[in-house]
Amino acid sequence: MKKVDEIYYKARKILLAPSDHKAIRGKVEKRMAEEKKHREDLDAHGPEFVVLLRPHTVWEKMNVTMSCIVQGAPSPTVTWFKDGIPIKPPDAPGKYTIENKIGLQTLEISRCSPLDSGRYSALASNTHGEAWSYATILVNKYQGSDAGDSICLDSARPEPDVDILDGFAVSFPKEGGSLTLSCCFSTPLNGQSGEVIWLHDGALLKESPLVKIATSAHDTRLTLTHVYKEDEGLYTVCLFTPTGCKEHSGYVFVRDAAAAEPGAAGSPLDVECRDVDRDYVLVAWKPPSADGGSAVIGYLIDRREVGTEEWVQCNHIPEKTCKFPALGLCENHTYQFRVRAVNAAGISRASRVSEPVTVTDRTAASRIMRIWTDRGEIVVTKDELEGDVRVPFPPTQLRVTEVGQTFAALGWNEPDPRGREPLTYCVEKSVVGSESWQQASMGITVSCPRFAVTELDKGKVYTFRVKSVNKYGISQPSAPSQGIPFGQIPAAPCCPRNVVPVRDSRTSVELLWEGPEDENELIGFYIYACQVGTNNWEICNNKPVNTNRFTVHGLSPRKEYVFRVKSVSPAGLSDYSVESTPIIVDNSISLPSAPYGLTLLSSGKREMVIAWNKPKFPMGPDILGYYLDCCDAAVAEWHEVNIKPITARVYKMGNLTEGRFYEFRVFAMNWAGVGPSSAVSDQFKCEQWTTPEPGPPFHLECTEVRNSSLHLHWQPPIYTGKDEVTGYLLELCETEGGEWRAINEKPTPSTHLRVSPLDEGKTYIFRVCALNSAGAGVPSLPSDPVCALTRPGTTEMGTGVDEDGNVFLVFQCPEVTDTSEFIWSKDEQDIATPERVRVETAGDVCKLILVDPGDADLGMYSVQVTGTDGLSSSHTLTNEELQKLKELSHRKKHPVIGVKSDWAVELLDKGSVRLWLQVESLSPAAHLQLIFNQKELSSNPTHRINFDRASGLVEIIIQNFTEADQGSYTAQLQDGKATGQFTLVLINDKFRALLSECDFQRNEWRRKQGPYFEKYLSWVVTDDCETLLTCKVTNTRCQTQVTWSKDGQPLTQPTYDPNTGTSALVIPQITKIDEGVYKVVVSDERGEDTSVLKILDQVFDDILREICTIAGSTASDLKMQPTAEGIKIYSSLKYNMDYMKKSWALNNKTLESQDRRRIGSDNHEVWLQIFNPTEADKGKYTLEMFVGKLTHKRELNLSQKVFDEVIAEYQRLKQAAFAEKNRAKVAKGLPDVVNVIENKALYLSCTVSGDPSPEVCWLKNDKEVAASDNCQVTVDKTSVTFSIQKVTSQDSGRYTLLVKNKHGSESAVITVGVYKCGEEATNQ
């Protein structure tokens, strides 16, 4: 090999020099073959012990199991040795049992003796090597220890063995939920006592985000945080202990989650990726078991890149088969896939996401060769040795790998040699029989030797070929593939046949069937169950089972079921198989397990009394008897004690030899035969017992196990000591290795005791000691471990009274079997007076009927159901409860018709009256008799009687209720033995009120035959303080008229809307004038109706009060306004009326109107005027407006600062008023326009005022007019005159009179027009 390496090293150096490429290539291929074989050798490895053997220390006559787990490739063979000598089971039949359970190697040694002590070893070997594991076994005697001579072992007492208790049961989680499986240990684990692993369908489970495993000293738990269909299967917990491997298994059935759409199919499962290449992945999955009621027509495949949340749909046409090629992937990218099923109802929920897969060139590794030399590592690629390949060679071995509904998947080998240049491929297709080839990979770059061809025509036969492409050109086409017909959907598998159900347990059935023949791609089977008579088929498994046998769990006990099976393949599901024969779910009949707990109850000189416990399994068939064997320890020969079976579990055996040691064993027998023997008892010495203390009690049993209590029973000891037993002391222990503690401080005289409180979920064992005057005797054997937990579905005993009046106690047991019996007892004793009770059993319900209930029947009643793993219940019947039951019994035997609703009265249309009574439902034979005033009343046109027996309704319809209908009405009912009498009295005030209401209803009916008021006339005050009178009429026509009047005088202001029937009158500001009687009449040819509203007295006051209430609420805050006279304080409101009283106050002192302070108001303001304000006017002003008891209050604080500002403004306004009063003014007299005839005189005169007297000036066209002979201006105190003796056209213009003094000025403008005689005067 070293020489070859050197040759390759030299070849690498001269690679570019001319050489014989063919020879070099041959050597490289040979080297690559060697490398391939080397890699295969690396994958294979010698044996390796994952779990080593452990040492064991056991007592003699116990069984011991040694176990280990070994791995290797190929699978190693394990050989067992003792002290270096191979163990051969055939040489010692029944002594050794060697098994291989999926890598778990076990060696079981039965009934160990001291000779079995020694060094044991396991040799694992395959073609790659060997591995050893060693451990020792020490077998101790009960008296001292005696190990074998071959090895010296420590004889210390062995640690308590650990076992699995309270294992998980069959589970039915829902898809998408969570699940926790747990097991408890009999004793706490420590570093040496045990190791725990979990398996799913035989595969080791490891921690992951979806799988959590937690193991403590007391229990182990497996949690599936998110349950998928793939999680369905058999889960096993393995506990490796020094005595062997303890296992517990339970099946987990995953139910479908709610459909994404109503009627949609279930989600597919087991999505996996195959044939991964550069841009290609073949996705495969398994079809769902539930189709939602319509067949699955195909599947949609989605993909996403790892690290993103976006899913991309790969196909738009649903693919019928369970395979699909995903194309167009990016090399070296990682993808995940999921699948959804499609049927007529819609699309299902998505499957579980596949494991991530990275698309890479799968041939890249095979093209690289690594060579190790003394000079280092040499890497040679195949491309470097192939030379300069220009135009590529064609691909080889073209084949069609998969054919689906929408695709045909192709595969081929690369051309050899391939060349150094990157290579792609061109795929072509052709219909067989034609000479034309079409490119099938148009627009798609095919970079790997796999491709899926789509867009093929159904019904045609296609063949394919491939060309290699590089930068230098295109190769010749490959050899064409075989012709394949496209469009032929692969046929679904054949259905299974010969489906046979077999009883398994109370809630399960084992199903067997034969699968279809010649089905190469068969995935498994789906099972469906239906309770007979329901036609409701339920899915039993959501993950295909790949065997022809399956146990269906979760069935209802004692119900009849039929089953059918479907085959599963990538093409889909088969049709249903033929239904199985019906089967009733119940326990199977099998041999009983071994009795156990053999104990010595008493011993004499030549006799012994032996007792034992009944077998634990099966619980269904009755034990017909027992066979007892005896062995003299000195002789070591077994012989039968009894020929006929013993029905009791206590046996007194005589003819023994005093002083000898004896061993015993017991066999149980039922209808299936004789079961295995019990473990051999301890060696008991036959001698006379003389101890003064009593012997051990026996047959401890726990019944009525609940979360916090249980009932413990036992049998008194056979050997009582020197005198009678006076009581019993009880002890409990939480686990077998725990400490015993007392339950009762004072001895209990009875042989039963209710033990409480207990911790829910904890496991206990119990034992009992008998007491007499000498003290406590030997304790009993410990009871079986019992977990303080109420079994799901447990029911309690109840009491009741049946329809015949019988008092009974009842117990329902859903788990009852064909052979089960209900065993009743009273006060823990068989019922001493069976003539006082009667037992009736129907299905899973049993009644204990008390024939003549009395004080003798008081006490505690118990019931046990055989064949149900101890289902039981008890009930204490007290005197108080018995009296209530007897009262109920009396009512049942002498029944009275119960009333649901006593007599009631209803008013109907047109003033009719309905008298009705309702009692409990009556039979069709019920009879009614109605009595009115001591006379029988029968149905007639005026008094119609209805009697509905089914609803218990009795009614009398009186069409015209009058004085003659006053009196008493009595209904007498009889239904079988039940009777009832019910009376209604209608007299005096009750009758008068009813009659008055009838008359009113009758009149109302007449009124509503024509137009009538739906809402009578009423008033309302609006937000604007207007009074609105409205009414509404209905049942109107076009001819209907609505007229208003007040005090008999017609009104024309009201409005009427025929569309809504509303009529209204608005009174803007109501006053005393508006008081009166308002009347509205609606009428047409059918009749009329009237509505009257009296707005008088109290009503008028109410309107005013409402107006004032609204107006007062709208009052603004007090405001302040300086004036020339002083200060005005006021509040604005929408409407002010004298009806609303007002009060002003200053600093909480009422103000009255006076000379300096005047109070006033108008329609929209309330004010206080202060003249000549002074400092005394400062303070807080309050305005109170009273409307009945309602007060509206407004306030204003006139502080010093504000007062000063107001006074300043007041002074300013006062001065401005004075100036305004005394300034120069033109008071009156001057016109705006004057027209004068030419040569006539113009005379203008006016009055002026002002203090001091104003100066007067006349202007013409804004120029002062000078006085002349023709134009004169005269001022006489307050009179001013302007005259022109003879006007001319030049005197036309705008004249202005300007007056002024020190307080101000004012002007008046006059336009003067001059026209000639004969002309028409015009206004300028």
Side-chain angles (χ1 to χ4, degrees), residues 133-175:
S133 180
Y134 303 91
T136 57
I137 291 181
L138 171 65
V139 180
N140 286 336
K141 288 186 175 181
Y142 285 100
Q143 302 294 330
S145 62
D146 183 14
D149 297 334
S150 60
I151 186 170
C152 181
L153 301 174
D154 184 10
S155 60
R157 181 176 177 176
E159 293 290 333
D161 192 17
V162 185
D163 206 345
I164 297 175
L165 300 177
D166 305 327
F168 52 89
V170 176
S171 304
F172 300 89
K174 199 170 187 178
E175 183 183 7

Side-chain angles (χ1 to χ4, degrees), residues 13 67 101 153 303 339 492 516 555 559 561 566 614 639 683 756 768 880 887 922 1036 1147 1186 1301:
K13 286 187 174 181
S67 59
K101 302 177 181 179
L153 301 174
R303 76 165 188 263
V339 183
L555 305 177
K559 300 298 183 181
Y561 284 84
K566 279 185 175 182
K614 60 186 176 183
H639 63 87
Q683 294 181 359
S756 68
V768 183
E880 181 182 0
E887 291 176 8
L922 303 174
T1036 59
N1147 297 328
F1186 304 97
N1301 63 8

Side-chain angles (χ1 to χ4, degrees), residues 1142-1152 1157 1159 1184:
K1142 298 95 177 173
S1143 173
W1144 287 88
L1146 173 60
N1147 297 328
N1148 298 325
K1149 292 183 179 180
T1150 304
L1151 298 177
E1152 300 292 339
R1157 294 191 183 101
I1159 297 173
E1184 293 182 326

Side-chain angles (χ1 to χ4, degrees), residues 1120 1127 1177-1181 1196-1200 1202-1203 1206:
M1120 180 178 57
I1127 301 173
D1177 295 316
K1178 293 187 298 183
K1180 184 176 72 172
Y1181 285 85
L1196 175 66
N1197 189 10
L1198 192 60
S1199 63
Q1200 180 66 48
V1202 176
F1203 182 78
V1206 171

Side-chain angles (χ1 to χ4, degrees), residues 315-350:
N315 60 321
H316 298 287
I317 300 175
E319 174 57 43
K320 179 68 176 176
T321 59
C322 294
K323 296 177 183 178
F324 184 81
L327 303 176
L329 307 179
C330 298
E331 188 174 0
N332 295 324
H333 284 221
T334 304
Y335 295 89
Q336 288 179 301
F337 296 86
R338 69 180 187 185
V339 183
R340 295 172 291 159
V342 182
N343 66 0
I347 302 175
S348 74
R349 296 162 58 96

Side-chain angles (χ1 to χ4, degrees), residues 1144-1185:
W1144 287 88
L1146 173 60
N1147 297 328
N1148 298 325
K1149 292 183 179 180
T1150 304
L1151 298 177
E1152 300 292 339
S1153 184
Q1154 53 184 353
D1155 292 340
R1156 205 170 67 80
R1157 294 191 183 101
R1158 293 180 186 175
I1159 297 173
S1161 64
D1162 57 19
N1163 287 343
H1164 299 289
E1165 277 189 1
V1166 179
W1167 68 77
L1168 171 65
Q1169 182 70 50
I1170 304 173
F1171 297 99
N1172 300 320
T1174 65
E1175 289 289 332
D1177 295 316
K1178 293 187 298 183
K1180 184 176 72 172
Y1181 285 85
T1182 304
L1183 170 63
E1184 293 182 326
M1185 296 168 283

